[in-house]
Amino acid sequence: MDNLTHSLVGALLGQAGLKRKTGLAMPTLIIAANIPDIDAVAVLLGGSQHLALRRGITHGPIAMVVLPLLLWGIMLWFDRWQTRRGKRPESRLPVDTKWLLALAYIGCLSHPLFDWFNSYGIRLLEPFSSQWFYGDTIFIIDIWLWCALIAGVWLSLRGERRGRQNWRTPALVSMSTIFAYIAANGLITGRAEQLTGNAVQSQFGVVPAMVVANPVPVQFWKREMLWRDATHYGQGSFSVPDAVSLDPKIGKHNMGDAEAVAQMARDKNADAFLFWSRMPVLREQVHGSSNVRVLSDQRFGNPLVQDRFTVAVPAENPEK
């Protein structure tokens, strides 16, 4: 998910009552909810190499143990540093070391949970396994999730400032609504994939090896449907409750061309892309007087983002 969502999740946890457990609770929850994204520095490598590094080691089990400990140590140091300098706010609660550590873990663990909900992918077991996991449940930037999170945090803060005893209630209601929303979207995805698989068999006479219900922006009741078998791929759409529409045009993804794939893998950007890609498509195109092989991913076929998720490599001349 985007970092605004992660930050709001941390803030909502605080407004649900956790902020009263110890001093520095709210900043710890918000920072912890974002800290696994320290792997974002990988974008400095350029090209597509960052795709193979993101959502991996810093989102895996070792990081989930180590990162909260590091943050805990930094927050304890910060509190003591402010105290020595006479800068510690008088209104800050005393720091409870056990609760501060617990909140660092709670905030940090919320990050891979929410990252898993979208179709981009996350390696939850890295470095023990490089398997990608996909929730296919909500879009990577979900405006309805934003609305629920912002409403819960804002209403809770307003109630707290007005001295209301039930100031935690809006945050708790928001939290319950969010998980009900996510669960409902999970059911929509399951229904969409089942019906689309049946429709592909009926319309094209093939049993798809993979069917993915790709969440779309704003319209949570719809899915972009993607499917493929050993040689072909296609797409379509789904809308609640059971409206499936398949594009009659299908194409060859060419991932069975072992020689071409091996050639692509010799390029560091293409190799990283192949490691990350879930539904790769390989095409050969003519650019001027030379041919290039282009890798893309079905999940990111939208023209607005397609250029960010493609790799082009000059085709090798088989006669050389």
Side-chain angles (χ1 to χ4, degrees):
M1 303 300 293
D2 62 288
N3 290 105
L4 175 58
T5 297
H6 288 304
S7 299
L8 288 169
V9 168
L12 189 70
L13 289 167
Q15 288 304 127
L18 292 179
K19 65 186 286 184
R20 293 293 180 91
K21 299 298 184 182
T22 176
L24 293 176
M26 188 66 96
T28 297
L29 283 166
I30 294 173
I31 296 170
N34 284 281
I35 201 170
D37 274 345
I38 57 174
D39 60 2
V41 297
V43 299
L44 298 177
L45 293 173
S48 298
Q49 294 177 68
H50 67 94
L51 294 174
L53 299 174
R54 292 299 309 274
R55 294 199 181 188
I57 189 70
T58 63
H59 291 62
I62 292 178
M64 291 302 105
V65 173
V66 174
L67 290 177
L69 284 171
L70 292 175
L71 177 61
W72 178 62
I74 291 170
M75 299 307 283
L76 288 176
W77 169 83
F78 177 73
D79 185 68
R80 291 165 185 167
W81 176 76
Q82 281 196 317
T83 300
R84 287 196 304 269
R85 291 172 55 88
K87 301 288 187 178
R88 190 183 193 280
E90 294 182 3
S91 59
R92 181 185 297 163
L93 294 173
V95 170
D96 184 310
T97 56
K98 292 180 180 179
W99 263 112
L100 192 67
L101 180 60
L103 298 188
Y105 275 105
I106 291 170
C108 199
L109 288 168
S110 75
H111 187 105
L113 174 64
F114 275 80
D115 272 358
W116 173 74
F117 288 138
N118 57 63
S119 62
Y120 185 94
I122 179 173
R123 303 197 305 279
L124 290 169
L125 302 177
E126 195 75 61
F128 305 109
S129 169
S130 293
Q131 179 182 351
W132 289 89
F133 294 86
Y134 310 92
D136 298 336
T137 301
I138 52 179
F139 191 65
I140 195 168
I141 299 176
D142 191 298
I143 191 169
W144 305 113
L145 199 56
W146 280 1
C147 289
L149 286 164
I150 291 170
V153 171
W154 178 67
L155 290 172
S156 176
L157 280 170
R158 189 177 69 166
E160 183 181 16
R161 288 166 181 162
R162 293 181 177 181
R164 293 177 181 170
Q165 293 297 313
N166 64 343
W167 61 270
R168 300 173 182 84
T169 301
L172 294 171
V173 171
S174 174
M175 198 174 295
S176 299
T177 301
I178 286 166
F179 281 103
Y181 172 73
I182 292 170
N185 272 275
L187 293 174
I188 292 171
T189 288
R191 178 71 171 165
E193 291 177 350
Q194 178 188 12
L195 293 179
T196 299
N198 294 339
V200 170
Q201 292 183 55
S202 175
Q203 187 167 330
F204 300 109
V206 299
V207 179
M210 183 188 300
V211 178
V212 172
N214 209 22
V216 299
V218 183
Q219 298 174 300
F220 64 85
W221 58 93
K222 293 186 177 182
R223 295 290 184 273
E224 176 192 27
M225 301 309 304
L226 310 169
W227 66 269
R228 63 202 281 133
D229 63 7
T231 55
H232 294 84
Y233 72 97
Q235 61 186 29
S237 62
F238 172 85
S239 183
V240 171
D242 56 9
V244 176
S245 175
L246 296 178
D247 189 333
K249 294 175 60 179
I250 63 174
K252 288 187 176 182
H253 53 67
N254 297 314
M255 295 309 296
D257 187 339
E259 182 180 346
V261 173
Q263 181 230 320
M264 296 295 289
R266 288 194 287 271
D267 179 90
K268 59 185 179 181
N269 286 312
D271 186 50
F273 189 93
L274 286 168
F275 173 74
W276 162 81
S277 183
R278 183 184 186 185
M279 307 182 80
V281 176
L282 178 60
R283 300 182 181 90
E284 189 159 322
Q285 299 176 354
V286 177
H287 281 260
S289 59
S290 61
N291 290 353
V292 296
R293 290 194 174 108
V294 179
L295 272 173
S296 60
D297 190 289
Q298 283 180 253
R299 295 170 298 166
F300 298 94
N302 189 303
L304 294 176
V305 298
Q306 191 175 40
D307 288 346
R308 295 170 52 198
F309 297 99
T310 58
V311 177
V313 176
E316 294 180 358
N317 187 338
E319 297 179 357
K320 291 184 179 180

